Amino acid sequence: MLRKTVLQSILINNGFWFKMLHILCIVGPSGVGKTELIKKLLVELKRRGYRIAIVKHAPQGFDLDKPGKDSWRYTKAGVDTLVLSSPEKLALIKNVDHDPSLTEISKLLGEDFDIILAEGFRKSNRPKIEVHRKGFELPSAKGVIALVTDESLDINIPQFSLEDITGLSSFIEKKFLKKQSKERVSLFADGKHIPLNPFLKRLFLKTLEAMVSTLKGVEKPNSIDLSIRRKGNDL
């Protein structure tokens, strides 16, 4: 049995991708305290033993390249993707021609996390927790599963105070993390999520597990990565 996360990804251009990460968006108007809330959630969920990735949406753009630096020179020369590597950190700078979706971003992150907390991405179809304060517009994002608010609102979803990080963390843990199976499989085709019934999930998982386990030098892997790149009609 594969013990942790299985089938991190099967990537095919014009093909398939298997992914297991949960993604939860923290949304709300500018100035309500989304970053501070995520920081507190990060500390509490890490204390409970979970591995967390954070993605912050920057719709106005950003630039990590400082003029004169080597990375800046590579970028100006037209490199498509740049990786900065050191013993302590790894950074990836990738040119894109559109605003990447959370699905695309999670492909780059890999599978070594229990959940992604995304700041923003209000228009995504991922579940959301909306932050609200008195004086701001009422919550309106689609897919909101809970509110963090400093006033009681007549909305029939769970509501937490801005200080109740323990309660909110327990809500997230129960809804997303405690239910996680050690063998979770989701299917994406050309970036679109394809629902799988339990039989097909088990079939995909067991078929690849059986194939890989016959290979020399493989002993109970915690994850399996298979990448297939297609050019034109040829494999």
Side-chain angles (χ1 to χ4, degrees):
M1 298 291 291
L2 299 185
R3 295 168 295 174
K4 191 179 177 183
T5 50
V6 186
L7 305 180
Q8 178 211 4
S9 57
I10 294 179
L11 293 172
I12 305 178
N13 290 348
N14 301 317
F16 307 105
W17 169 46
F18 287 84
K19 190 67 181 174
M20 292 74 65
L21 278 177
H22 285 298
I23 302 176
L24 175 63
C25 298
I26 309 298
V27 301
S30 177
V32 295
K34 298 187 294 295
T35 300
E36 185 65 20
L37 177 67
I38 292 174
K39 184 182 75 173
K40 292 178 179 179
L41 283 174
L42 171 64
V43 172
E44 177 62 20
L45 291 173
K46 290 281 290 182
R47 186 189 68 79
R48 299 185 187 199
Y50 297 108
R51 290 183 59 82
I52 312 297
I54 292 176
V55 176
K56 181 178 175 65
H57 195 211
Q60 305 305 318
F62 65 92
D63 193 355
L64 298 180
D65 293 330
K66 295 182 179 179
K69 295 291 186 178
D70 291 342
S71 59
W72 179 81
R73 294 189 180 98
Y74 289 135
T75 299
K76 291 300 180 182
V79 67
D80 295 305
T81 300
L82 173 67
V83 175
L84 305 177
S85 177
S86 76
E88 296 84 22
K89 295 180 181 180
L90 184 71
L92 181 146
I93 302 172
K94 180 180 175 66
N95 290 331
V96 294
D97 57 5
H98 64 285
D99 194 2
S101 68
L102 284 168
T103 296
E104 294 173 287
I105 294 169
S106 63
K107 290 180 183 180
L108 299 175
L109 292 177
E111 52 80 37
D112 195 23
F113 305 97
D114 296 298
I115 192 170
I116 296 173
L117 298 179
E119 181 178 339
F121 297 92
R122 186 181 188 86
K123 295 181 180 180
S124 79
N125 60 358
R126 301 289 181 168
K128 302 172 184 71
I129 291 176
E130 185 153 355
V131 185
H132 169 74
R133 288 182 182 270
K134 293 179 182 179
F136 285 85
E137 63 185 50
L138 292 176
S140 59
K142 294 182 179 179
V144 173
I145 60 172
L147 291 175
V148 177
T149 175
D150 60 356
E151 63 176 343
S152 179
L153 297 175
D154 187 19
I155 300 176
N156 189 27
I157 57 175
Q159 298 182 36
F160 300 87
S161 72
L162 295 165
E163 293 75 32
D164 189 11
I165 301 302
T166 299
L168 182 59
S169 296
S170 295
F171 173 80
I172 293 171
E173 186 176 42
K174 181 179 180 180
K175 193 167 186 66
F176 297 102
L177 300 172
K178 288 295 187 182
K179 294 181 179 180
Q180 290 186 136
S181 168
K182 291 183 178 180
E183 300 178 341
R184 292 169 288 131
V185 181
S186 297
L187 174 62
F188 291 79
D190 292 333
K192 298 179 180 179
H193 178 253
I194 308 299
L196 294 175
N197 61 40
F199 171 76
L200 284 177
K201 287 184 179 182
R202 199 70 178 166
L203 177 63
F204 278 124
L205 185 136
K206 286 301 181 181
T207 299
L208 278 178
E209 182 183 3
M211 293 169 61
V212 172
S213 64
T214 64
L215 300 177
K216 185 177 179 180
V218 177
E219 295 182 7
K220 296 182 178 180
N222 288 326
S223 64
I224 299 173
D225 297 272
L226 173 61
S227 179
I228 302 174
R229 299 293 180 182
R230 182 179 305 202
K231 293 184 178 180
N233 295 321
D234 298 327
L235 278 178

